[in-house]
Amino acid sequence: MSHPSVLRRCWARRPGVAQSDNVLILSVAGPSKAEAERRANALAKAFLGFRSDRLQQQTASANKALENQISSLEKQISQLSASINGGGSSSQGDQLSTLVGEQSSDTSELASLEQTVQQNQIASIGVTRGSSVVTPGALVPASSAKLFGLDGIAGLIGGLIVGVVYVALQAVLSDRLRRRDEVASLLGAPSS
Amino acid sequence: MSRMGSSALAGLEAQAAALTTQVNKYDQQIQFEQAAIQSHSPSSPIAQADTQLLGSLTTAQSNASLQLQSVNSQIAAAKLNNAATNGGTEVIQHASSATGPSLLSQLLPIAFGAVLGLIVGGAYVVIRQRRSNLTTRDEIAAAAGVPVVLSSAVERLSRSSDWLTLLREHAPSKTELWNVRKVLSYLDVPEVGRRVLTVITLTDDSASMAAVAHFAVASAAMDIPTSLVLTSDDSGSRGLSDACDLLTARNEAARHQLRLFKGSAPVDETESALTIISIVLSPDQPKLPVFVARGMVFLALSAGFVGEEQLARILIAVGQEGQSVEGLFVTNPMSADRTLGSLPNTNEQVTRFLQSRALEPWTGNAGRTVTTMREGPALPDLGGIANDPESVAAPPNTSPEGQPPIVLVGRLVSLRFVMGVLRRRRKIWLSAAAVGLVIGLGYHLVVPRSYSAHATLYLAQAPGTDPAAGMENDIALLETSAVGHRAADLLG
């Protein structure tokens, strides 16, 4: 039963039904009550795990790019610091002022990027920990006697329909003479 | 990375490169001017001009540097955006082998077409049924007040060659011969002379004319010398009239024992045991040429050809000439017409007669004998049944003018009929219902029952995203094989 293709047959073509923007209901079938519940729980756990992994992977990718940019900015700031510290002549005062301005801008951008990284991580954790199983796998309530009775009624109605249709069709399509007036008419009985 | 994003990034990078080159040039120029200023006396006009130029260059370099910084920031933002967009993108589930549309979706248009056809066909039948024309044998018989004595299905003939083929080559079936024999047994037999009957058909009702021709052919096929006299000429019988002309010109009989005549030929001239006189009347302005009509008069008409009003008009026209229609030939009845075309009292007689048979078992010679022929002298060559007074005991209520035999062609399926059949054959469908009950009760002993379990999940969505879109995305993820694999792994 562990093969996914076999397992896929256990739930419907669309196993999940959205109750709201945040609530999802999973429906899973099984040969016994316990197995159906076990499968429902397994599917819920697998889905939440998969979703969490996807989200973390996405956050990690974004943060990686941000960190590359952060390290680049850090290098740039270091170079600017070195340039600022190396200059001393009064004739380069304007240039020094430009370098200081650049360093300040880079530092500000660096702080912004670091904040973005933190926000991404917080959002990822919030989504992952905020998603959970509200109601574990539970059977759809139905009594065995009721199901047994429904099966019987369904069979009874089905048999009734088949029988009635068979008799009606045979009567309509058959050319056999069944009624006395048919036989009498064919034989011309009333003329005697 | 999207195509649009990459092109924008390339543009920004080119702009950054140009600005970098510009800044470097300014830098070189500034260094050159600084050297020039130092080589001259600070109070010299050249040094003053160079100092002014150096200031301009420094300002320009500063502006270019700021512009370069802005472009670099844009490049970094674009790269970050691309990384965020594409970083989490990968193929979760590879494409499976393509499959065609499901059987259900293929059959759906067919089923839809069938249902549509059923509705259209049903509507057509209902509308046709509602037409005022008389379609069933019972309707026609009730409107005319006389029973249907012959009911037959014939093909429509138009060309004279078709009529000739019918007259010369048609081999009547046993049923057809039997039906004609029953009608002949119904005829009055004059003490002197031969049997004569007049059949009235209606203008343009070529099928009924063909039925008359069939009747004559069947009579001839029974070795009865038969003459068919055509007294009218209309579009429906023109082909037969032409065929008659052809045969007359050749001085030929249509077939053995069958001759055709045109005009109002005296019956004695035909020299036949049976003479059928055909008269065509217009259903709208009927006028019977009384000097032509002889013997018993029958009316032949196709099912649904006339309405009650027209039929009454024809019967009145016949009655005004001192004649009366004794019976009806119904041509091409509907296949669903199960009625007999007999009058109600006839049905009652039949039922009473047959019920009496059921109550009184047959006791050999003392029992009743059912005869199919009308009482009266029978033609030996017809093989008619001569009633033997010693062996035949007719029912007391049966009049000598009892109704003629009716031929069943087709059935009219009414709800009453179906209900009657269902009542009579209830054992079959009750048995089927019982079998269905047993199958239903025992079904899950063979096929394991499937239990369904539900689980409810709360899914938080990332801030800044559309929750509805996020939920759709989650449902799509749930249906991937990747989730299926994980669930399978968890189940072991």
Side-chain angles (χ1 to χ4, degrees):
Chain A
M1 184 51 74
S2 63
H3 193 274
S5 62
V6 177
L7 195 66
R8 292 288 295 177
R9 292 179 204 152
C10 301
W11 48 75
R13 187 177 177 84
R14 292 189 70 104
V17 177
Q19 286 290 97
S20 69
D21 288 345
N22 294 99
V23 178
L24 181 69
I25 292 182
L26 304 181
S27 300
V28 181
S32 66
K33 295 178 181 180
E35 182 62 19
E37 288 175 356
R38 199 169 79 92
R39 287 177 184 177
N41 289 331
L43 181 62
K45 192 175 176 184
F47 172 64
L48 286 177
F50 181 77
R51 185 172 181 267
S52 173
D53 288 351
R54 297 296 310 163
L55 194 62
Q56 284 175 2
Q57 194 178 346
Q58 192 174 352
T59 305
S61 297
N63 285 351
K64 191 178 175 185
L66 286 169
E67 279 162 7
N68 286 339
Q69 202 172 348
I70 286 169
S71 64
S72 170
L73 276 174
E74 283 173 346
K75 279 181 188 174
Q76 204 172 334
I77 289 168
S78 299
Q79 286 172 357
L80 286 170
S81 297
S83 300
I84 290 166
N85 293 334
S89 66
S90 59
S91 63
Q92 293 177 338
D94 290 338
Q95 196 173 358
L96 184 64
S97 143
T98 305
L99 291 172
V100 170
E102 281 182 26
Q103 188 190 31
S104 172
S105 171
D106 286 351
T107 306
S108 170
E109 196 175 347
L110 180 67
S112 172
L113 289 175
E114 284 174 343
Q115 193 179 0
T116 307
V117 169
Q118 284 177 354
Q119 282 176 350
N120 285 347
Q121 285 172 343
I122 289 167
S124 172
I125 291 167
V127 171
T128 305
R129 293 191 181 171
S131 302
S132 60
V133 178
V134 179
T135 310
L139 281 172
V140 179
S143 70
S144 297
K146 191 177 174 184
L147 292 174
F148 195 66
L150 282 175
D151 290 342
I153 290 170
L156 183 72
I157 293 171
L160 203 64
I161 290 170
V162 169
V164 167
V165 168
Y166 170 76
V167 170
L169 280 180
Q170 200 185 37
V172 170
L173 300 176
S174 171
D175 286 333
R176 291 187 178 183
L177 301 170
R178 296 184 189 279
R179 288 163 53 175
R180 286 172 296 191
D181 57 346
E182 292 174 2
V183 178
S185 299
L186 196 67
L187 294 174
S191 66
S192 61
Chain B
M1 185 186 294
S2 70
R3 191 173 172 180
M4 197 169 169
S6 65
S7 64
L9 189 60
L12 286 170
E13 283 173 346
Q15 198 177 351
L19 284 169
T20 305
T21 308
Q22 197 175 352
V23 168
N24 290 336
K25 280 184 180 176
Y26 281 135
D27 195 39
Q28 286 174 3
Q29 196 69 26
I30 286 167
Q31 286 176 6
F32 178 76
E33 289 299 331
Q34 283 174 343
I37 289 167
Q38 284 176 358
S39 62
H40 293 91
S41 166
S43 58
S44 66
I46 296 171
Q48 287 177 355
D50 284 346
T51 303
Q52 198 173 356
L53 181 60
L54 180 65
S56 301
L57 286 170
T58 306
T59 305
Q61 188 195 26
S62 177
N63 288 338
S65 294
L66 284 173
Q67 203 174 346
L68 177 63
Q69 192 179 354
S70 170
V71 171
N72 280 335
S73 294
Q74 288 180 41
I75 290 170
K79 283 182 175 175
L80 179 63
N81 191 31
N82 285 335
T85 305
N86 301 321
T89 307
E90 68 174 273
V91 176
I92 295 171
Q93 178 181 334
H94 289 282
S96 59
S97 56
T99 56
S102 67
L103 187 64
L104 184 67
S105 61
Q106 283 179 336
L107 291 178
L108 205 59
I110 299 171
F112 179 74
V115 170
L116 192 67
L118 200 67
I119 291 169
V120 171
Y124 172 74
V125 169
V126 168
I127 290 167
R128 196 174 165 186
Q129 283 282 84
R130 288 191 173 191
R131 280 173 56 191
S132 58
N133 280 6
L134 303 165
T135 50
T136 65
R137 281 178 283 248
D138 265 3
E139 284 175 357
I140 296 168
V146 290
V148 176
V149 296
L150 179 68
S151 183
S152 56
V154 300
E155 67 278 18
R156 291 186 185 278
L157 306 172
S158 54
R159 294 177 301 175
S160 58
S161 57
D162 296 335
W163 287 98
L164 274 175
T165 306
L166 166 67
L167 295 169
R168 286 173 167 167
E169 299 172 14
H170 176 63
S173 66
K174 296 293 181 195
T175 309
E176 196 175 350
L177 294 173
W178 171 244
N179 294 338
V180 171
R181 269 176 62 164
K182 285 188 290 185
V183 174
L184 292 177
S185 71
Y186 185 65
L187 297 178
D188 285 329
V189 181
E191 291 179 3
V192 179
R194 304 174 181 87
R195 289 182 178 222
V196 180
L197 67 109
T198 299
V199 182
I200 299 170
T201 56
L202 304 177
T203 306
D204 296 331
D205 189 4
S206 60
S208 292
M209 183 56 78
V212 175
H214 272 268
F215 186 89
V217 167
S219 172
M222 288 187 288
D223 269 346
I224 303 170
T226 306
S227 295
L228 176 59
V229 182
L230 306 174
T231 62
S232 312
D233 194 7
D234 76 309
S235 58
S237 61
R238 189 148 299 142
L240 181 60
S241 178
D242 292 344
C244 179
D245 289 340
L246 186 69
L247 293 170
T248 307
R250 292 179 182 174
N251 197 22
E252 286 179 10
R255 67 193 296 154
H256 178 62
Q257 302 286 33
L258 177 61
R259 295 191 70 85
L260 264 65
F261 296 94
K262 273 186 79 174
S264 53
V267 172
D268 293 341
E269 285 183 15
T270 60
E271 298 177 350
S272 299
L274 176 66
T275 300
I276 303 163
I277 299 171
S278 164
I279 298 174
V280 181
L281 294 186
S282 164
D284 298 318
Q285 293 177 328
K287 182 161 178 58
L288 181 72
V290 69
F291 54 89
V292 175
R294 296 282 187 279
M296 293 181 77
V297 178
F298 294 89
L299 174 63
L301 72 170
S302 297
F305 191 77
V306 291
E308 195 170 355
E309 187 77 21
Q310 289 172 311
L311 183 58
R313 204 176 292 146
I314 294 160
L315 294 170
I316 290 169
V318 173
Q320 281 175 341
E321 300 299 337
Q323 299 282 348
S324 63
V325 173
E326 304 288 338
L328 300 168
F329 291 3
V330 174
T331 311
N332 294 338
M334 290 192 305
S335 58
D337 183 5
R338 265 185 59 80
T339 61
L340 306 175
S342 55
L343 297 175
N345 60 342
T346 307
N347 280 337
E348 287 168 11
Q349 288 172 5
V350 170
T351 306
R352 204 161 40 241
F353 174 68
L354 290 168
Q355 280 174 347
S356 68
R357 276 180 56 85
L359 292 170
E360 298 170 22
W362 185 66
T363 54
N365 291 336
R368 297 167 187 270
T369 300
V370 178
T371 60
T372 59
M373 300 299 168
R374 186 168 176 267
E375 190 173 0
L379 289 173
D381 53 351
L382 295 181
I385 299 171
N387 294 328
D388 182 356
E390 291 182 355
S391 63
V392 176
N397 290 336
T398 308
S399 69
E401 287 74 32
Q403 299 301 327
I406 310 302
V407 180
L408 272 179
V409 177
R411 287 160 176 252
L412 176 65
V413 180
S414 64
L415 183 63
R416 191 176 175 185
F417 165 72
V418 173
M419 294 304 289
V421 172
L422 289 175
R423 196 167 47 249
R424 285 197 303 276
R425 307 188 71 193
R426 58 186 173 274
K427 281 183 185 175
I428 293 178
W429 54 264
L430 282 175
S431 302
V435 170
L437 178 65
V438 172
I439 290 173
L441 292 175
Y443 178 73
H444 285 300
L445 297 176
V446 181
V447 180
R449 188 183 293 281
S450 178
Y451 294 89
S452 182
H454 289 177
T456 308
L457 308 183
Y458 182 84
L459 302 176
Q461 302 295 344
T465 59
D466 177 16
M471 179 53 81
E472 280 185 21
N473 191 31
D474 286 333
I475 290 173
L477 282 178
L478 177 64
E479 292 168 8
T480 59
S481 294
V483 175
H485 278 284
R486 281 200 180 208
D489 292 341
L490 286 172
L491 287 168

